[in-house]
Amino acid sequence: MLEREISELLGYGLREGILNSDNEIYARNRLLHILHLNEWDETQVQVQGMELTEILKRLLDYAIAKHLILDTQNSRDQFDSQLMDALMPLPSEVILTFRSYYMESPQKATDYFYHLSTASNYIRLDRLRKDVKWTCDTSYGTLDITINMAKPEKDPRDIAKAKEVSDKQYPQCALCRENEGYSGDALHAPRQNHRLIPIQLRGERCYMQYSPYSYYQEHCIILNEKHVPMQINADTFLRLLGFVNLYPHYFIGSNADLPIVGGSILSHDHYQGGRYHFAMEKGEQLDTFISSQYPQVTYGRVNWPLSVIRASSEDLFALASFCEKVRSAWANYADPALAILPYTDNTPHNTITPIARMRKGRYEMDLVLRNNRTSEQRPLGIFHPAPKWHHIKKENIGLIEVMGLAVLPARLKKELEELALCLRHNKTLPSHLEAHKDWFAHLQKHYPANADWENILQKEVGEIFTHVLEDAGVFKQDEAGQAGFLRFLRNLETKGSHGNDTGIYTG
């Protein structure tokens, strides 16, 4: 009955290299079992190179018609992940192949692993293609903007099922290594076609995987084997630099370890990396100092809306030690005139978002100074997007945004289309777009009705994102803010472990 579709799926696996020909019959029988079938008619076999999305659609439609699964997105995702897993090598085989390629070069190893992650449909390329992306030129460089359409919305039936498993503790979170091979439920995405690569960082076992939402090229995640909370400390810098030593073609960074300025998952220690050059990396270094305590290290401010110290060295350990010195100094640094206070009672506010990379044979670390203090006027954060920008970006400014990529909510795709229509035809702003009221008035005032609204709206969103990043900067882009930044750098040296260290300015 499904001989053609099953044969097409097997043929796809063979072409993409995720299925070994020696395992073809075994995989076929696994697929028959998943589909509750026990017969095979070889005369019905046809392989014409059907697209994967079409193959899976036909098999999913069959499963729904036969009441094998519910007709919800979550049920479909669980079932097609199970189908794809039937083609895939075991985790141990993936690890052996990865290590074999690594002996040739780190890039060949990651090329293999990334291809496996896309060909297996773990990274759903058909959904990623729906993301809306553009760039915006600013005084800080070219920023990336994306409206994320890849995460499917929750179906009410799936939400209802979630209540049945709300007390489950396995896996503990979406990053735990126990997700590898997990079938999924109403709370956890299916991960049957998911594979992990073990790596050692600073003596700890970690795992590398790719993000299923792939916000940029080869967006990978490095997760701690243990479910332990995020923490930025001396070992963090050694792990990040150790990673780029192993994979010099990738960058790696960590979200900050405090709420508001951190990522969406603070309960599990993890980093994010990949093969992409963000605008922040291209940012001009404004000045250069030599650390007196670590003369192998040079550092300086970066032309970037957030407050960034860029440090580099050929010596991994000297650079890691310098970074820890910055972190420790910043953790207790106060500048009340600039609203920078390190503590409220015993609650810490100052932390760092670090990003490591290799550049021209030198280790490089960008240290982004963060503060998560709130006030009555700014309950979401003093160094957080101002309320006037919330109609575009209200969420936390995490690692990816810090580097210059705006990840905007899916609602904006339709809202921008409607705004363009209203502006072009001088229509009244509908009530469901009330959040954009002030922006809408600004646009009407500054542009003619017959303007190229699609491009103008994209440009204006990019400008708003620039302001959002400036809001997150602890030392503002004005004379007082930059004077404060230089004060901190001077304090960094004069308060060093030698007591009388002085930075050496080199231009």
Side-chain angles (χ1 to χ4, degrees):
M1 182 182 292
L2 291 174
E3 284 85 356
R4 181 184 177 189
E5 288 76 11
I6 292 173
S7 296
E8 288 280 7
L9 188 56
L10 294 168
Y12 168 85
L14 292 168
R15 288 195 308 276
E16 294 296 325
I18 62 174
L19 174 64
N20 188 299
S21 59
D22 291 335
N23 298 330
E24 183 177 0
I25 293 176
Y26 175 81
R28 177 207 295 168
N29 286 329
R30 285 194 64 195
L31 292 169
L32 289 172
H33 174 73
I34 293 166
L35 292 159
H36 291 209
L37 299 171
N38 55 17
E39 294 184 358
W40 183 259
D41 185 353
E42 196 69 35
T43 64
Q44 299 300 313
V45 171
Q46 300 178 47
V47 178
Q48 298 177 343
M50 192 186 297
E51 290 288 332
L52 178 63
T53 51
E54 179 60 25
I55 301 169
L56 293 177
K57 180 182 181 302
R58 293 188 184 191
L59 293 173
L60 288 167
D61 289 347
Y62 171 86
I64 290 165
K66 295 297 183 180
H67 306 291
L68 302 181
I69 61 172
L70 292 174
D71 188 9
T72 70
Q73 190 63 63
N74 193 44
S75 293
R76 283 173 170 264
D77 287 354
Q78 289 180 30
F79 197 75
D80 70 14
S81 296
Q82 188 179 7
L83 294 172
M84 294 305 299
D85 183 49
L87 310 182
M88 292 187 65
L90 290 170
S92 59
E93 296 170 5
V94 173
I95 293 167
L96 287 174
T97 304
F98 181 91
R99 288 175 176 168
S100 175
Y101 279 119
Y102 188 89
M103 295 299 290
E104 297 182 49
S105 81
Q107 186 171 320
K108 281 192 176 181
T110 56
D111 284 349
Y112 156 74
F113 189 40
Y114 184 71
H115 174 73
L116 179 76
S117 300
T118 55
S120 64
N121 209 39
Y122 164 69
I123 298 175
R124 297 174 182 269
L125 294 177
D126 59 321
R127 292 183 187 169
L128 295 182
R129 294 186 189 106
K130 296 176 183 177
D131 287 350
V132 182
K133 298 182 179 183
W134 69 91
T135 60
C136 181
D137 292 332
T138 74
S139 60
Y140 303 105
T142 302
L143 303 182
D144 294 298
I145 316 291
T146 181
I147 297 176
N148 172 37
M149 306 297 293
K151 286 188 178 181
E153 293 187 16
K154 291 282 187 182
D155 186 288
R157 289 166 291 181
D158 293 328
I159 294 171
K161 286 180 72 75
K163 294 178 181 178
E164 301 172 13
V165 295
S166 60
D167 294 329
K168 279 192 55 167
Q169 296 298 316
Y170 183 87
Q172 282 185 269
C173 77
L175 291 177
C176 286
R177 75 147 306 195
E178 288 79 12
N179 283 280
E180 185 178 37
Y182 188 66
S183 61
D185 56 38
L187 292 178
H188 290 85
R191 292 290 182 257
Q192 293 173 7
N193 52 346
H194 176 41
R195 299 293 183 264
L196 296 167
I197 299 296
I199 57 175
Q200 289 288 124
L201 294 177
R202 187 61 178 161
E204 283 197 350
R205 190 173 178 88
C206 299
Y207 291 88
M208 178 164 67
Q209 66 174 64
Y210 287 103
S211 167
Y213 306 113
S214 202
Y215 292 126
Y216 50 85
Q217 186 176 353
E218 297 181 38
H219 178 180
C220 67
I221 299 172
I222 312 303
L223 54 99
N224 196 309
E225 180 180 39
K226 301 172 184 174
H227 183 78
V228 293
M230 296 283 292
Q231 187 175 11
I232 305 295
N233 56 28
D235 281 341
T236 303
F237 305 118
L238 288 166
R239 291 191 198 104
L240 296 180
L241 293 169
F243 179 85
V244 297
N245 190 51
L246 291 171
Y247 302 96
H249 59 299
Y250 275 9
F251 80 88
I252 187 170
S254 175
N255 267 304
D257 54 352
L258 296 178
I260 296 176
V261 295
S264 58
I265 301 178
L266 294 175
S267 61
H268 195 127
D269 195 26
H270 70 285
Y271 311 127
Q272 296 182 73
R275 196 172 169 185
Y276 190 71
H277 299 284
F278 288 90
M280 189 178 77
E281 177 187 344
K282 303 171 189 175
E284 176 190 5
Q285 188 166 320
L286 299 175
D287 36 38
T288 303
F289 300 90
I290 298 173
S291 169
S292 54
Q293 188 176 354
Y294 305 102
Q296 311 95 315
V297 177
T298 62
Y299 66 97
R301 297 172 300 158
V302 177
N303 178 37
W304 193 244
L306 287 96
S307 307
V308 182
I309 300 170
R310 177 165 295 158
S312 72
S313 179
E314 293 180 357
D315 187 324
L316 183 156
F317 295 100
L319 180 57
S321 296
F322 174 81
C323 293
E324 171 57 15
K325 178 179 178 176
V326 174
R327 185 207 64 79
S328 179
W330 175 246
N332 298 291
Y333 188 76
D335 194 333
L338 300 178
I340 299 170
L341 298 176
Y343 294 95
T344 299
D345 297 327
N346 293 320
T347 301
H349 296 306
N350 287 354
T351 186
I352 279 177
T353 300
I355 302 102
R357 66 182 73 88
M358 296 296 298
R359 193 197 295 260
K360 297 180 180 179
R362 291 173 65 88
Y363 297 98
E364 186 171 274
M365 185 81 77
D366 283 349
L367 302 168
V368 188
L369 307 178
R370 313 297 303 275
N371 179 289
N372 78 339
R373 203 161 67 85
T374 62
S375 67
E376 286 188 18
Q377 296 76 23
R378 299 288 290 275
L380 297 181
I382 295 170
F383 301 101
H384 182 81
K388 62 182 175 180
W389 313 129
H390 287 182
H391 64 109
I392 297 295
K393 180 69 175 177
K394 184 179 181 179
E395 299 78 12
N396 294 349
I397 302 304
L399 171 67
I400 294 173
E401 286 89 0
V402 161
M403 295 185 291
L405 192 161
V407 180
L408 303 178
R411 62 173 173 81
L412 277 177
K413 182 178 185 294
K414 190 172 190 316
E415 289 179 6
L416 292 177
E417 291 171 353
E418 290 187 72
L419 283 169
L421 190 65
C422 291
L423 289 161
R424 183 176 295 114
H425 298 288
N426 285 315
K427 291 185 175 182
T428 303
L429 190 70
S431 59
H432 66 276
L433 297 178
E434 184 72 14
H436 298 292
K437 180 180 65 174
D438 293 341
W439 189 41
F440 185 75
H442 159 82
L443 294 168
Q444 283 184 314
K445 180 179 178 180
H446 289 86
Y447 299 98
N450 63 351
D452 182 356
W453 285 112
E454 285 74 15
N455 284 328
I456 286 171
L457 288 171
Q458 288 188 352
K459 179 178 75 71
E460 289 271 343
V461 167
E463 290 177 2
I464 289 173
F465 180 54
T466 303
H467 296 313
V468 161
L469 295 182
E470 289 174 337
D471 286 347
V474 292
F475 295 114
K476 301 304 181 187
Q477 300 297 316
D478 54 24
E479 186 176 347
Q482 291 307 296
F485 201 168
L486 289 170
R487 267 197 310 277
F488 172 70
L489 295 182
R490 285 195 297 271
N491 181 81
L492 180 67
E493 292 292 346
T494 58
K495 301 295 184 183
S497 62
H498 292 165
N500 60 352
D501 292 348
T502 303
I504 305 168
Y505 183 66
T506 63

